[in-house]
Amino acid sequence: MFAFLQRNSILFLSVTRRPLRPCAVPARAMAAPGQQPPAGVRGMTRLDRTAFQRPLDVCALRLPAADIAPILKLLKTQMLRVPHLRPVQPLGELPLMESSGGGEPGADAPAADGPDQKVVLLDPERVPDAGGLPWSGLEPLGLSAADSPLRLTLRLAYDNYRADAVLRAVLPDGQDGCTSFSRVGHLIHLNLKEHLLPYGELIGQVLMDKHPGVRTVVNKLNTIDNTFRNFSMQLLAGEADYLVEARENGCSFRMDFSKVYWNPRLCTEHERLVSQLQPEDTLYDACAGVGPFTVPAARKRCRVLANDLNPESFHWLQHNVTANKVQDRVQTFNMDGREFIRTEVRRGLRERLAAPAAAGRLHVVLNLPALAIQFVDAFVGLLSPDEVPADQVVPLRAHVYTFTKELSAAERSVTEALCTNVGRDVSRHLREVFLVRNVAPNKLMYRVTWDVPAEVLCAMDDGPVLKKAKLTEP
């Protein structure tokens, strides 16, 4: 859901956050009490898979295999749906509880069935007994109320529960559980809250069990506040194999997850920004990471100059540019973001202004939300006044990512931060103030897109003009 607010020529956008499919544990209807893990697993800190066994009493119909299709169509909404348990199968293959009295297993189940017969398991919540069956539809198919369903006692085990059901049953009741994670290739990345740390190894093992292809589960140990945007991590389960490969927007990215920054939750934003570029545009990716903006922009036939200070990110940036076969349209740099603006962006601006008939716009992306808003001062005094003709529009647009905790006035907060760091009121040059995502309950990530005007580019670089920017009132 998008909301729009027009103020003069500025377009403010916000987006209601929806669950992120690649990252969040899928939301499913909770299983009925009889189909949930046993209560005795609550508080378990070391995974004991055998503790998840429990009986489940169900009704079942024994039917001729040859004529079963029309009956299954009628019973579609009433069949038992349990992970790794087929609702239609031969009786002899069912996981039945052994009789405590030493008799036949599975309540009143017959010991065997013919090779041409199948058993249809019914959901005990929907069909607790024969009265819950749609006899009016079954009778024309040769069944009648006189054909009493079988009573079976199935044995549910660890494999019959999804990850969210297992974790709901194990983790402390009444507290926030483990509700989301990020997956990158074979690796799952968690950010566990303090009360869940004693359960970390169990959580990791459950997630690895329940998600095919996952070999590594890690927990982030600190915030991303260092120069290279990576973080310490704890191995919860599996192999210490951090070399991963991810696919995003039709591109492949390889990296050492422990040494670079990668967030699959930004996939949509990467796509959204690249969609604003035209093939004749030039992109200056000042904090490129391993290339989530660079590679798709180059595939769109934009010229790209991509930079990252982290030597490990720079290595994988070069690798991904080559692997995606866009090296003929990308130049890579390993320097500080401010220096990149003051050298490469300045050079590109001078070349572009010297050829006013050239097509395309120059875009600068500053994707370092914790610090990027401070880098905008590098645009101040980038050119001398005689380099910008008075009648020429500067074709430079900047996209700056930043955080704010001012939830009640977020758009104004990030706009003021931009103006304060530029040292001038540039609010009239804003093109878009966009809510990218909720990072935490009290923290939002925004993108501020603005056209960098000549008065900023040609100003003397003598420090901020305003200590606190005053914005032009709408």
Side-chain angles (χ1 to χ4, degrees), residues 266-314:
L266 294 174
C267 171
T268 302
E269 175 60 17
H270 297 152
E271 182 179 25
R272 183 184 295 116
L273 181 62
V274 171
S275 71
Q276 299 181 24
L277 306 178
Q278 301 302 317
E280 63 271 16
D281 289 345
T282 299
L283 174 65
Y284 293 86
D285 197 351
C287 310
V290 300
F293 287 120
T294 291
V295 173
R299 283 171 60 99
K300 197 172 182 178
R301 308 201 68 80
C302 297
R303 178 173 175 248
V304 183
L305 288 82
N307 170 73
D308 203 277
L309 180 62
N310 181 352
E312 192 74 18
S313 294
F314 177 68

Side-chain angles (χ1 to χ4, degrees), residues 247-394:
R247 289 199 61 83
E248 182 179 288
N249 298 323
C251 307
S252 63
F253 299 92
R254 192 165 175 81
M255 71 205 82
D256 184 334
F257 188 77
S258 66
K259 296 179 180 178
V260 304
Y261 178 79
W262 179 268
N263 189 343
R265 300 185 183 206
L266 294 174
C267 171
T268 302
E269 175 60 17
H270 297 152
E271 182 179 25
R272 183 184 295 116
L273 181 62
V274 171
S275 71
Q276 299 181 24
L277 306 178
Q278 301 302 317
E280 63 271 16
D281 289 345
T282 299
L283 174 65
Y284 293 86
D285 197 351
C287 310
V290 300
F293 287 120
T294 291
V295 173
R299 283 171 60 99
K300 197 172 182 178
R301 308 201 68 80
C302 297
R303 178 173 175 248
V304 183
L305 288 82
N307 170 73
D308 203 277
L309 180 62
N310 181 352
E312 192 74 18
S313 294
F314 177 68
H315 165 74
W316 291 111
L317 171 63
Q318 291 182 307
H319 172 90
N320 293 327
V321 164
T322 302
N324 288 276
K325 301 179 180 180
V326 293
Q327 63 270 28
D328 59 330
R329 292 188 288 277
V330 179
Q331 292 176 260
T332 56
F333 302 84
N334 180 209
M335 63 174 70
D336 176 74
R338 273 197 182 88
E339 187 63 21
F340 177 73
I341 294 173
R342 289 169 177 161
T343 56
E344 300 308 318
V345 176
R346 172 184 280 146
R347 181 180 295 111
L349 264 174
R350 284 173 172 168
E351 293 174 354
R352 182 65 175 77
L353 291 169
R361 181 184 295 274
L362 309 185
H363 294 261
V364 180
V365 174
L366 289 165
N367 182 27
L368 185 66
L371 298 172
I373 199 75
Q374 301 173 24
F375 286 13
V376 296
D377 62 1
F379 292 112
V380 179
L382 203 59
L383 301 173
S384 61
D386 58 358
E387 291 180 295
V388 183
D391 59 345
Q392 188 169 346
V393 176
V394 179

Side-chain angles (χ1 to χ4, degrees), residues 154-172:
L154 303 176
R155 182 182 67 252
L156 295 187
Y158 175 76
D159 287 345
N160 299 124
Y161 303 106
R162 296 185 176 92
D164 51 344
V166 171
L167 296 178
R168 242 191 340 260
V170 170
L171 298 179

Side-chain angles (χ1 to χ4, degrees), residues 46-58:
R46 295 185 66 85
L47 183 60
D48 178 6
R49 296 174 181 83
T50 63
F52 287 83
Q53 293 190 15
R54 68 167 302 161
L56 176 64
D57 293 327
V58 300

